[in-house]
Amino acid sequence: DSEGASLQLHYVRTTSQHEIDFVIANENGDAQQFIEVKVGNTKPSGFLMNMAALHPHADAIQLVMRTPHGFDTHGVGVRPAAQWLAGLAA
């Protein structure tokens, strides 16, 4: 929103209780980013990896509070939460 784009903030939860914490969508409702937040687990959730595969145009990110470095695996970017959040535009 800070750059003039009209964005929507959602979350996803299936009937089988799989979830993604944040989904950022454009004004048409198309997912742009899937963001999962963890304290220390750097292994991407299976549901996040599935959503990344189903929506290859969207970024899939797992923010982890306790990890020293980021890496990419199975279509998911695992990132240190503090570093990633510090890079957001105000």
Side-chain angles (χ1 to χ4, degrees):
D1 283 350
S2 68
E3 295 178 6
S6 180
L7 301 174
Q8 303 170 18
L9 181 62
H10 303 278
Y11 69 95
V12 173
R13 181 178 297 147
T14 67
T15 56
S16 57
Q17 302 304 310
H18 293 100
E19 66 177 9
I20 294 178
D21 297 320
F22 301 99
V23 179
I24 299 172
N26 65 18
E27 57 198 17
N28 297 325
D30 299 322
Q32 303 296 298
Q33 283 187 323
F34 296 103
I35 303 171
E36 183 68 15
V37 180
K38 302 288 185 188
V39 173
N41 187 358
T42 60
K43 179 181 177 187
S45 75
F47 187 55
L48 183 59
M49 289 188 295
N50 289 343
M51 293 301 281
L54 288 172
H55 302 273
H57 61 280
D59 293 329
I61 302 164
Q62 183 158 309
L63 300 178
V64 183
M65 185 172 100
R66 296 185 185 132
T67 188
H69 56 31
F71 59 92
D72 296 324
T73 184
H74 302 290
V76 175
V78 177
R79 303 288 181 262
Q83 182 182 21
W84 189 85
L85 291 168
L88 293 177

